[in-house]
Amino acid sequence: MSKNLVVLISGRGSNLKAILEAIKSGKINAKVSLVLSNKKDAKGLEIAKEYGIKAKFIDPSFFETRRGYDIYIAELIKKENPDFVVLAGYMRILSDEFIDAFEGRIVNIHPSLVPAFQGKNAQKQALDYGSLITGCSVHFVTKELDNGPVIVQAAVPVLPDDTEESLSNRILEYEHKIYPQAIKWLVEDRVVVSGRKVIVKDAKYGTLPVNPSLEDF
């Protein structure tokens, strides 16, 4: 049975587009019923409209608190009755009230091998630390920042001449692969969480090597 997704964005929407393309091609049996952004000029809003999806900018400045904003958008999302809430470059920390409203159904992608380099500027953190390998992770969202159970990861080498931009671009290529893969697993009810451990039923692997050959993509 097809599942329903709501996607939250703040920027260019490249991961949103990767997910929508996978849905359009039939690789993911789901639909996106709503895209919300906290940024008026987010390019992802235009991408959503190009795919015929309802897209809205909700201005945080109209709300006195982050909690108030989150309660408002949570009510909008509940009207869509989503199976999952997908954070695709959403650059706001969610309040506890929002996470409680969709507990166990919020997923995020982060440009590091979490729990390493949590928070903003993860690529710069990897470079500053002198890491030889970093990557990206799809994980469930919990009340601890970038620390929920990991569904899938891809490792990306840090090259000697890397800049923050070059490393970010290489990581992004893998984000566009593993996020649709993780969502495919989720909408097929193949993901089981036991404590911090995530088991994907009938998956060949859960952690991908540096140059992954994805089983479904």
Side-chain angles (χ1 to χ4, degrees), residues 37-88:
S37 175
N38 66 307
K39 298 289 186 180
K40 185 177 182 179
D41 58 352
K43 292 181 180 179
L45 291 172
E46 293 305 315
I47 291 173
K49 291 174 184 177
E50 288 171 7
Y51 283 80
I53 296 166
K54 183 168 52 178
K56 294 182 179 181
F57 157 62
I58 308 298
D59 192 344
S61 69
F62 290 167
F63 300 83
E64 293 185 359
T65 63
R66 176 167 58 92
R67 178 177 176 272
Y69 181 84
D70 282 1
I71 290 172
Y72 180 81
I73 64 170
E75 290 305 312
L76 290 180
I77 293 169
K78 286 176 184 177
K79 291 178 182 178
E80 302 297 325
N81 194 27
D83 294 285
F84 296 100
V85 177
V86 177
L87 310 185

Side-chain angles (χ1 to χ4, degrees), residues 162-211:
D162 259 331
T163 63
E164 186 176 354
E165 181 180 10
S166 65
L167 180 58
S168 297
N169 288 338
R170 272 205 329 285
I171 292 172
L172 191 62
E173 293 179 17
Y174 288 97
E175 291 184 32
H176 295 166
K177 296 179 180 181
I178 69 170
Y179 215 0
Q181 175 70 85
I183 291 171
K184 177 179 174 64
W185 286 335
L186 286 165
V187 302
E188 291 176 351
D189 297 320
R190 294 169 59 187
V191 176
V192 179
V193 182
S194 178
R196 288 205 54 85
K197 187 173 183 179
V198 174
I199 299 168
V200 180
K201 293 182 286 186
D202 302 320
K204 297 175 183 177
Y205 38 71
T207 300
L208 304 180
V210 172
N211 294 303

